[in-house]
Amino acid sequence: MSMYSIDDVIQKMDAIVEQCSRENLRAGYFAVLYRLVTICIKEEIEAGNFDDNERMEKLDTIFAQRFFDAFDAYYNDSGDELTQSWHRAFEAAESNRFIIMQHLLLGINAHINLDLGIAAAQTVESENLEIIHNDYNRINAILASLVDDVTSNISGISLFFGPMIRLAHGADEMLVNFSIVVARDGAWEFAHKYLTAEDKELAIQKRDAKIADLAKRLTQTGPFVSFIIKIIRWGEFRSLQTNLVRMI
């Protein structure tokens, strides 16, 4: 299903969250977070808060389509090609070894570090990428704020996350200090490289390999952080369906 408006995007996200709840798919954690971000961006567009609101809706739909294609390729046998980055995220979602925050970060890693730069470049097509830089930074602020809200309130569904993650501070920088702003800055740099690349598929493949390696680091933690994660996981005893409702 192709996306033509941000309302189409939200409708598809609702369907994905419902599928994840029905089929007990941990990919639903990222889907719920992404839905919240999209609703917020829609409100900003409707309020006319971007320099070019129509273009930002175009960016949102192109960006979301990459997640939808990846999700349908993995879970709904659509036949679409699946990047390594998304395969790592969805593969981890099959396991109960990882905590909710890891599932969120794996989705963020694949979607922002890989997909966002591609979507930004495709939005401007042959124009100068700088024409969307101000609006891109506005989305940065929205996304960072929402992610901060979710992570600060995650104790509502992960009882031991707050106190235990503080013990792990500095032990595993990638897990504890994953920065959404740094990720989006990296995506902006990649957008420039992708836009000017002669072989765009090769550019995606190289970037994908790098981001897939970051996903590996998010799941293969050292002994101390693995112990912390195990304790956090004990506090995530509620059903996935209950957790998704609490996140919405």
Side-chain angles (χ1 to χ4, degrees):
M1 176 183 176
S2 297
M3 301 293 110
Y4 299 103
S5 71
I6 200 165
D7 287 324
D8 290 340
V9 170
I10 294 172
Q11 183 178 4
K12 174 66 173 178
M13 286 179 175
D14 288 341
I16 286 178
V17 171
E18 193 279 330
Q19 180 180 347
C20 289
S21 179
R22 184 179 66 251
E23 299 180 10
N24 207 41
L25 305 177
R26 295 179 186 87
Y29 290 124
F30 173 75
V32 166
L33 173 62
Y34 192 12
R35 177 182 177 276
L36 293 173
V37 170
T38 304
I39 289 172
C40 190
I41 291 174
K42 177 188 176 182
E43 292 171 351
E44 293 293 310
I45 290 172
E46 291 177 341
N49 290 337
F50 294 107
D51 291 342
D52 190 330
N53 294 283
E54 184 176 346
R55 197 190 298 269
M56 284 304 98
E57 183 166 20
K58 179 182 178 182
L59 171 58
D60 188 273
T61 57
I62 293 173
F63 186 37
Q65 188 71 61
R66 292 193 63 84
F67 168 59
F68 298 153
D69 289 346
F71 183 91
D72 287 338
Y74 192 88
Y75 291 108
N76 297 324
D77 299 320
S78 67
D80 290 333
E81 187 175 351
L82 185 65
T83 61
Q84 296 179 58
S85 304
W86 273 118
H87 188 273
R88 287 272 175 88
F90 294 141
E91 188 176 48
E94 300 283 347
S95 172
N96 63 3
R97 295 189 299 112
F98 306 114
I99 60 175
I100 294 169
M101 180 55 71
Q102 284 173 291
H103 293 304
L104 292 176
L105 293 180
L106 284 162
I108 290 170
N109 180 59
H111 203 37
I112 293 182
N113 280 330
L114 178 63
D115 292 343
L116 183 56
I118 299 168
Q122 291 177 345
T123 297
V124 301
E125 298 175 342
S126 60
E127 296 182 79
N128 190 323
L129 193 62
E130 292 301 319
I131 63 176
I132 67 169
H133 203 176
N134 287 339
D135 284 339
Y136 183 93
N137 287 335
R138 285 189 179 94
I139 293 178
N140 258 356
I142 294 168
L143 187 57
S145 175
L146 272 173
V147 171
D148 285 347
D149 286 346
V150 169
T151 54
S152 64
N153 295 327
I154 203 169
S155 58
I157 56 176
S158 182
L159 298 184
F160 303 145
F161 177 80
M164 296 309 298
I165 211 67
R166 283 192 288 273
L167 289 178
H169 183 72
D172 191 320
E173 187 177 79
M174 186 62 191
L175 176 61
V176 182
N177 297 325
F178 186 98
S179 170
I180 195 72
V181 174
V182 171
R184 286 184 65 90
D185 286 347
W188 182 253
E189 292 179 12
F190 176 58
H192 279 282
K193 293 178 181 178
Y194 176 78
L195 191 62
T196 58
E198 291 186 10
D199 188 334
K200 287 183 166 47
E201 286 304 313
L202 181 60
I204 291 175
Q205 290 172 15
K206 288 182 176 179
R207 179 71 174 178
D208 185 28
K210 180 178 179 180
I211 302 312
D213 186 62
L214 292 179
K216 184 178 179 180
R217 290 170 56 194
L218 280 166
T219 55
Q220 296 184 2
T221 54
F224 176 61
V225 173
S226 295
F227 174 70
I228 295 294
I229 287 172
K230 184 177 181 179
I231 295 175
I232 292 173
R233 196 168 63 244
W234 289 340
E236 297 180 350
F237 56 85
R238 297 183 182 90
S239 69
L240 179 138
Q241 291 78 10
T242 298
N243 288 339
L244 294 184
V245 169
R246 283 171 173 252
M247 288 178 67
I248 293 174

